[in-house]
Amino acid sequence: MTNTRQALLVIDVQNDFCPGGTLAVPQGDEVVAPLNKLIHEFLERGDPVYKSRDWHPRSTKHFAESGGTWPVHCVQDTEGAKFHPALVDDPRIKVVSKGLGDKDCYSAFDETDLATELRKQSVEEVVVGGLATDYCVKNTVLDALQQGFKVKAVEEAMRPVELQPGDGKQAIEEMRAAGAEIV
Ligand code: VGL
Ligand code: ZN
């Protein structure tokens, strides 16, 4: 069990999802400290670390102005799309960009090569945290399970956007019911 090859997935810890951003997740910046700790642990062990980022064109059907759900956020090459300035950066960390077109890509596996990359590195289990619990974290966790990876979802390292009150708790229960270990 202790030899299970793990990767860390840090989901969308970007300025626009943090306080002051255009799609701010309440207390979104509180995920930075626990995630930094995990990033250091994984890098020290030589285990792979991935950061996903929401990376939208200026105009996409993902945005309310074009018929979608969300205010404009995480537009490519803007300040809001940058990772939170306190999130650990390191050349060994791989960045996965998602949401490049009109589709609502909430999962870091959606229209990316993440699953291929993980398999190439013989990863069997992913440890997941980030923003937001009820969208990109949840969908990434469910896709990871579907793709055959074991999943540990780190509850203290995620925060929900909660368009509806209770969405965060419900997302945790959905992840657990699908087979994720909530740690
Ligand atoms: C996300 C809403 C819209 C997320 C991305 O990263 O959870 N949420 N785009
Ligand atoms: Zn988005």
Side-chain angles (χ1 to χ4, degrees), residues 11-14 17 23 25 52-54 56 62-63 69-71 73-74 98 104-106 130-139 159 161 163:
I11 304 301
D12 298 7
V13 183
Q14 293 165 272
F17 294 125
L23 180 40
V25 173
S52 71
R53 63 180 179 182
D54 225 21
H56 299 311
H62 184 60
F63 295 158
T69 306
W70 307 101
H73 63 278
C74 298
K98 67 183 176 60
D104 287 320
C105 290
Y106 294 120
L131 304 171
T133 308
D134 38 356
Y135 285 90
C136 288
V137 172
K138 178 182 89 172
N139 283 280
R159 293 291 182 279
V161 52
L163 288 185

Side-chain angles (χ1 to χ4, degrees), residues 96-107:
V96 177
S97 301
K98 67 183 176 60
L100 306 178
D102 277 317
K103 189 182 170 206
D104 287 320
C105 290
Y106 294 120
S107 159

Side-chain angles (χ1 to χ4, degrees), residues 150-166:
K150 296 206 285 178
V151 178
K152 283 190 163 76
V154 187
E155 194 167 8
E156 67 159 347
M158 58 180 74
R159 293 291 182 279
V161 52
E162 300 213 312
L163 288 185
Q164 307 287 337

Side-chain angles (χ1 to χ4, degrees), residues 57-72 102:
R58 173 60 189 84
S59 181
T60 161
K61 290 177 183 163
H62 184 60
F63 295 158
E65 62 181 19
S66 304
T69 306
W70 307 101
V72 174
D102 277 317

